[in-house]
Amino acid sequence: ENRPIPEPGPNEVLLRMHSVGICGSDVHYWQHGRIGDFVVKDPMVLGHEASGTVVKVGSGVTHLKPGDRVAIEPGVPREVDEFCKTGRYNLSPTIFFCATPPDDGNLCRYYKHSASYCYKLPDNVTFEEGALIEPLSVGIHACKRAGVTLGSKVFVSGSGPIGLVNVIVAKMMGAAAVVVTDLSASRLQKAKEVGADFTIQVKNETPKEVASKVESVLGCMPEITVECTGVQDCIQTGIYATRSGGTLVLVGLGPEMVTVPIVNAAVREVDIRGIFRYCNTWPVAIALLASKRINVKPLVTHRFPLEKALEAFETTKRGEGVKVMLKCDPTDQSP
């Protein structure tokens, strides 16, 4: 609250923040102070799923003006390297990323950001939808990497926020049938609400048994599996479940080392692909939201003012609801 309002550089904009979603990574940094090699060594502002209003623009900014409502892409390359030149800037080792140490996030009243990575929101797209473009982008990037297309049979492992956006995007991209697994009955119900065709509540089954259930409900093995948990058993299930010649995309991040039936995947030519965040997804997401081709509004289950951020984080930590949203602008009365 006592931080000075930052001054935007020539190619930056100053934003009055509006909506910021809480991600599992935010909670993990708060609780553990690190994720893999990213270690919190100094005080750091959290938050990277965000939207706000432009209040000031740098001298070199021409596509935005004060009053514009924007969604913020949190990853900004610091230099134009080989990854940027080939359109895969998310892989740039120099990338700035909100709320990844040592870079501050945007869970605050005022925030400055590269203007090129702020995207104007159409009038019919809300601030909350703008903030949800970040998790939605994970689904867009994952489904593109997976090759989801017309008629695809898709298995989504995990029904948290990222599993749900993959369901939404897979259906949008033409998947004929999507089956979702999870431990939680309430989360599977939410998967049904956003478009899942089948759900399987996992209890004590082995990975092979879960894979068999997936095949049973689909009537065939899925060509595509999107693994959103990072849990070893679930990754194993993903390999066993995926049709020979199909693709398994690993979205969820768990332990650094896991034991998987790699020979099973190799001899059946199951392609295993990773994703790292996303790239080139904000314009796609905004077009989908503006055209009402997708609906992400059901994902938001809790809302808190910034003053109750701790309560919001505790709610997320307990696994209540789906997406917890913080409202940073006390003067704004929009729903």
Side-chain angles (χ1 to χ4, degrees):
E1 287 297 310
N2 298 318
R3 288 156 53 92
I5 296 176
E7 191 69 22
N11 299 309
E12 295 178 325
V13 293
L14 175 65
L15 304 165
R16 185 171 179 87
M17 300 307 299
H18 187 284
S19 296
V20 181
I22 299 177
C23 173
S25 67
D26 293 320
V27 175
H28 201 86
Y29 280 127
W30 169 49
Q31 289 294 297
H32 304 287
R34 70 181 298 157
I35 295 177
D37 295 332
F38 297 106
V39 181
V40 179
K41 296 178 180 176
D42 297 296
M44 182 183 80
V45 178
L46 293 168
H48 60 268
E49 305 176 0
S51 63
T53 303
V54 175
V55 294
K56 196 171 187 180
V57 301
S59 58
V61 178
T62 57
H63 71 289
L64 293 172
K65 65 184 185 303
D68 284 347
R69 302 160 58 253
V70 299
I72 301 166
E73 181 172 1
V76 181
R78 288 186 169 94
E79 60 184 65
V80 180
D81 57 16
E82 59 184 305
F83 298 105
C84 295
K85 290 175 182 176
T86 56
R88 301 181 75 178
Y89 57 87
N90 58 311
L91 302 179
S92 172
T94 69
I95 201 163
F96 166 94
F97 198 87
C98 295
T100 295
D103 303 329
D104 279 333
N106 40 37
L107 185 52
C108 49
R109 302 277 187 215
Y110 290 94
Y111 174 74
K112 69 173 181 177
H113 198 69
S114 168
S116 295
Y117 291 81
C118 292
Y119 300 83
K120 189 173 178 179
L121 293 173
D123 291 342
N124 68 337
V125 177
T126 67
F127 280 115
E128 281 193 357
E129 289 175 301
L132 288 168
I133 290 174
E134 196 280 340
L136 181 61
S137 288
V138 177
I140 293 170
H141 191 56
C143 287
K144 280 185 174 181
R145 293 272 289 157
V148 178
T149 188
L150 291 171
S152 295
K153 303 287 181 64
V154 180
F155 166 32
V156 176
S157 175
S159 190
I162 297 302
L164 296 175
V165 293
N166 274 282
V167 172
I168 291 169
V169 175
K171 294 294 286 187
M172 176 66 224
M173 291 175 72
V178 178
V179 57
V180 184
T181 56
D182 201 277
L183 297 170
S184 165
S186 62
R187 292 207 161 186
L188 289 173
Q189 179 57 39
K190 182 63 74 170
K192 277 276 195 183
E193 287 176 31
V194 301
D197 298 282
F198 307 101
T199 59
I200 299 170
Q201 186 173 7
V202 178
K203 292 176 181 168
N204 300 312
E205 298 92 340
T206 67
K208 283 188 176 180
E209 288 170 342
V210 177
S212 180
K213 285 190 173 185
V214 169
E215 181 180 6
S216 178
V217 299
L218 280 178
C220 62
M221 296 173 78
E223 303 106 323
I224 290 164
T225 297
V226 184
E227 207 301 295
C228 300
T229 72
V231 175
Q232 178 174 283
D233 279 5
C234 297
I235 299 171
Q236 293 176 0
T237 298
I239 290 175
Y240 291 133
T242 307
R243 183 184 305 180
S244 296
T247 303
L248 166 63
V249 175
L250 302 177
V251 182
L253 299 177
E256 183 180 359
M257 301 295 286
V258 295
T259 301
V260 295
I262 199 71
V263 173
N264 178 291
V267 299
R268 297 194 302 109
E269 297 190 4
V270 172
D271 292 343
I272 299 175
R273 296 186 169 192
I275 72 159
F276 186 60
R277 299 170 180 159
Y278 32 66
C279 59
N280 305 304
T281 55
W282 259 252
V284 174
I286 289 171
L288 290 172
L289 291 167
S291 64
K292 303 304 178 187
R293 296 295 301 278
I294 61 171
N295 180 19
V296 294
K297 291 179 180 178
L299 298 180
V300 180
T301 54
H302 295 73
R303 296 169 178 85
F304 294 89
L306 185 58
E307 293 82 4
K308 294 186 177 179
L310 183 58
E311 187 179 337
F313 270 77
E314 293 283 5
T315 301
T316 306
K317 179 186 168 187
R318 290 192 298 269
E320 296 177 17
V322 180
K323 178 59 65 177
V324 176
M325 193 70 67
L326 279 153
K327 197 169 182 178
C328 300
D329 186 349
T331 66
D332 185 277
Q333 300 301 315
S334 62

